[in-house]
Amino acid sequence: MQKICVIGGSRYFGKLLVQRLQAAGPQVTVVNRGSTRPPAGVEHLVVDRNDEAALTAALGTRTFDVVVDQVCYTPVQAAIAARAFTGRTRRYVMTSTIEVYDPATAALAPLPADTLVPEESVDAAAWRVATDLPWHDEAYLQAHYAEGKRQAEAVLTRTPGFAFASVRSAHVLGGGAQEFTGRLAHYVERIARGEEITVHAQARPTVFIHYEELADLLLWAATATDFTGPLNACSDGLLDVRDLSAAVAARTGRRPLYRTVADGESASPFSFDRHYAMSNARARHLGFAFSRTADWLPGAVAEALTASAAPTR
């Protein structure tokens, strides 16, 4: 029986991953701060991952076949994890993000126009790490989310104590009220009320993934494959902000109203004035079969509509 540790796993696709791991048969341990209990039968270690001494003490003599880290946002957290889990696991999988490719947050080598971005566009092994930046400050971390993920990948890539893989997730949708970022709800609520959606004049397309599909991919990464390095995770098909609005309009029966802003100005979620949509070719080559965004998006919109109509307490 495999032994798998999930760091985080208290909400959204992380919670679903824990459920699916348990159903698949591995012995599962969840490490988090205790805000949400895992399902019955899952071992629960309540500890702050940022406290290295407490984390090491909580782990005790436990060892794992795989660790899946859902909540690693900084190189400091990655360095603590590297020290705590070296000698305890043979494989470490970190959930990363499409934002590592955002050209607005890092000087990256340019690609031909509209090229789907491959994993090698951000080489974590060569990325500079600066652990002395104020990563503990929530405002700084929020403003430097993409860089925190890049540097966290870099630290774990250079850790010799285990095989490391990062799953760079596209924008995650689906699940109605479970989708805690509120980005799809933004469109559902504004279009239903006849309010404006703010878009760039030449909004660029991006990629998405359903939360259930991401949980499936993380399950596969933990139990069914030994790939190392980065892996892009996105459903098939590009959508821009107007495509997304049209999918919402089809469910609400209301026509979207748009207000155009210049490049560089703030706009509604998923309106991008720059291109960094990912390629999922590597994952496909390794054997993971992705769905089409166009097939699951109407259901995700319907769930968001139901959630927005639900009475609040």
Side-chain angles (χ1 to χ4, degrees), residues 108 119-128 153-154 157-158 168 230:
L108 302 174
E119 286 85 354
E120 55 266 26
S121 295
V122 171
D123 179 7
W127 204 261
R128 179 178 176 270
E153 284 192 41
T157 296
R158 296 168 194 167
R168 294 173 176 169

Side-chain angles (χ1 to χ4, degrees), residues 54-137:
L55 176 60
T56 302
L59 291 171
T61 60
R62 292 172 180 83
T63 60
F64 306 98
D65 295 292
V66 185
V67 174
V68 183
D69 194 341
Q70 296 283 82
V71 289
C72 188
Y73 301 111
T74 75
V76 175
Q77 291 176 325
I80 289 171
R83 290 189 292 268
F85 286 96
T86 291
R88 295 183 188 273
T89 187
R90 64 171 182 81
R91 178 169 172 78
Y92 200 103
V93 179
M94 171 189 153
T95 302
S96 190
T97 174
I98 185 177
E99 303 299 336
V100 302
Y101 300 118
D102 187 351
T105 63
L108 302 174
L111 292 171
D114 298 327
T115 299
L116 293 179
V117 181
E119 286 85 354
E120 55 266 26
S121 295
V122 171
D123 179 7
W127 204 261
R128 179 178 176 270
V129 172
T131 56
D132 56 344
L133 295 174
W135 295 114
H136 61 281
D137 181 85

Side-chain angles (χ1 to χ4, degrees), residues 241-252:
V241 62
R242 293 176 186 269
D243 297 325
L244 183 61
S245 297
V248 174
R251 286 279 176 169
T252 61

Side-chain angles (χ1 to χ4, degrees), residues 48-57 79-80 83-84:
D48 184 348
R49 64 163 306 149
N50 298 308
D51 185 335
E52 184 171 352
L55 176 60
T56 302
I80 289 171
R83 290 189 292 268

Side-chain angles (χ1 to χ4, degrees), residues 6-19 30-33 35-39 70-71 73 95 138 145 172 174 177-182 211 214-215 218:
V6 178
I7 306 176
S10 63
R11 62 179 178 176
Y12 207 26
F13 60 86
K15 182 177 180 180
L16 182 58
L17 170 64
V18 171
Q19 295 168 352
V30 166
V31 174
N32 62 32
R33 290 179 294 185
S35 59
T36 304
R37 293 190 60 82
Q70 296 283 82
V71 289
Y73 301 111
T95 302
E138 287 296 327
Y145 170 73
V172 188
Q178 295 181 73
E179 199 273 284
F180 61 91
T181 69
Y211 83 108
L214 182 53
L218 289 165

